[in-house]
């Protein structure tokens, strides 16, 4: 599940049909199929058609519901990376039923889509874990729904609720 801010417009970021993940190089940000971030190019490829449909959804709220191992978490990670790169200064949350899932599924899936260059991506693994896109200042924090009171704090621009059906109603 994600929350798209009203007026955020469409994103020039595009996911192609190749199964290669990811590639980085110096390029102009206006190139088709890339996330805009100064002179850095991050290209995510390999979304299945149903994942692409979710990523392209213009609605404020979108839900991806399917069977196990269908790629819902990977799709959430693609969405998160796209938002972090294209919305300077934005803040997002990845919320999972447990802290362990937030880190082992969320953090590691998002981290796998990003370059391992500390000038581009800063990863904090201590509590609360987060990924920061250095050039944009955007941050994705990884949280647990085990303690709903821990989900209060500064406002966020988007949220990815992984395994939302396994989270308590109070977490919503």
């Amino acid at each position: 599940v994600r929350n798209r801010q009203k007026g955020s417009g469409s994103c020039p970021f595009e996911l192609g049909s190749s199964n290669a993940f990811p590639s980085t190089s110096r390029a102009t940000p206006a190139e088709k199929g890339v996330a805009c971030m100064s002179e850095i190019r991050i290209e995510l490829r390999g979304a299945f058609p149903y994942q692409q449909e979710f990523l392209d959804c213009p609605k404020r709220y979108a839900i991806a519901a399917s069977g196990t191992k269908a790629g819902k978490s990977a799709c959430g990670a693609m969405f998160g990376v796209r938002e972090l790169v294209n919305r300077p200064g934005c803040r997002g949350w990845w919320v999972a039923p447990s802290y362990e899932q937030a880190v082992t599924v969320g953090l590691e899936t998002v981290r796998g889509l990003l370059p391992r260059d500390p000038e581009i991506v800063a990863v904090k693994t201590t509590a609360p874990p987060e990924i920061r896109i250095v050039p944009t200042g955007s941050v994705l924090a990884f949280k647990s729904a085990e303690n709903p009171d821990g989900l209060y704090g500064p406002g966020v621009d988007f949220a990815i609720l992984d395994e939302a059906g396994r989270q308590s109603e109070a977490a919503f």
Side-chain angles (χ1 to χ4, degrees):
V1 177
R2 62 179 167 79
N3 178 356
R4 175 172 288 166
Q5 293 290 326
K6 288 183 180 177
S8 66
S10 63
C11 174
F13 179 80
E14 203 172 278
L15 298 174
S17 60
S18 168
N19 287 323
F21 276 74
S23 67
T24 59
S25 64
R26 302 276 174 193
T28 60
E31 284 187 59
K32 184 178 180 184
V34 300
C36 297
M37 183 168 66
S38 182
E39 292 295 317
I40 306 298
R41 171 185 160 142
I42 296 179
E43 184 175 352
L44 301 178
R45 302 167 292 182
F48 290 105
Y50 59 88
Q51 291 172 318
Q52 190 64 53
E53 186 177 339
F54 172 85
L55 292 165
D56 292 342
C57 179
K59 304 289 185 183
R60 183 172 180 183
Y61 297 99
I63 298 171
S66 63
T68 60
K69 305 297 178 203
K72 298 178 296 294
S73 297
C75 189
M78 289 180 219
F79 173 79
V81 168
R82 181 179 72 186
E83 293 299 296
L84 293 173
V85 170
N86 286 310
R87 294 177 62 194
C90 80
R91 181 157 187 84
W93 283 357
W94 181 290
V95 182
S98 70
Y99 179 80
E100 182 180 353
Q101 276 184 297
V103 173
T104 60
V105 176
L107 179 73
E108 293 307 320
T109 302
V110 172
R111 185 186 226 178
L113 296 176
L114 294 167
R116 301 272 180 171
D117 183 344
E119 291 183 18
I120 299 172
V121 178
V123 179
K124 179 183 159 207
T125 56
T126 58
E130 62 184 33
I131 290 179
R132 177 179 303 275
I133 305 297
V134 177
T136 67
S138 298
V139 176
L140 180 60
F142 297 84
K143 299 187 164 273
S144 165
E146 290 172 312
N147 177 12
D149 289 338
L151 297 175
Y152 288 99
V156 294
D157 298 299
F158 69 93
I160 300 161
L161 305 180
D162 196 25
E163 299 292 343
R166 297 178 191 264
Q167 297 177 23
S168 71
E169 191 172 326
F172 286 89

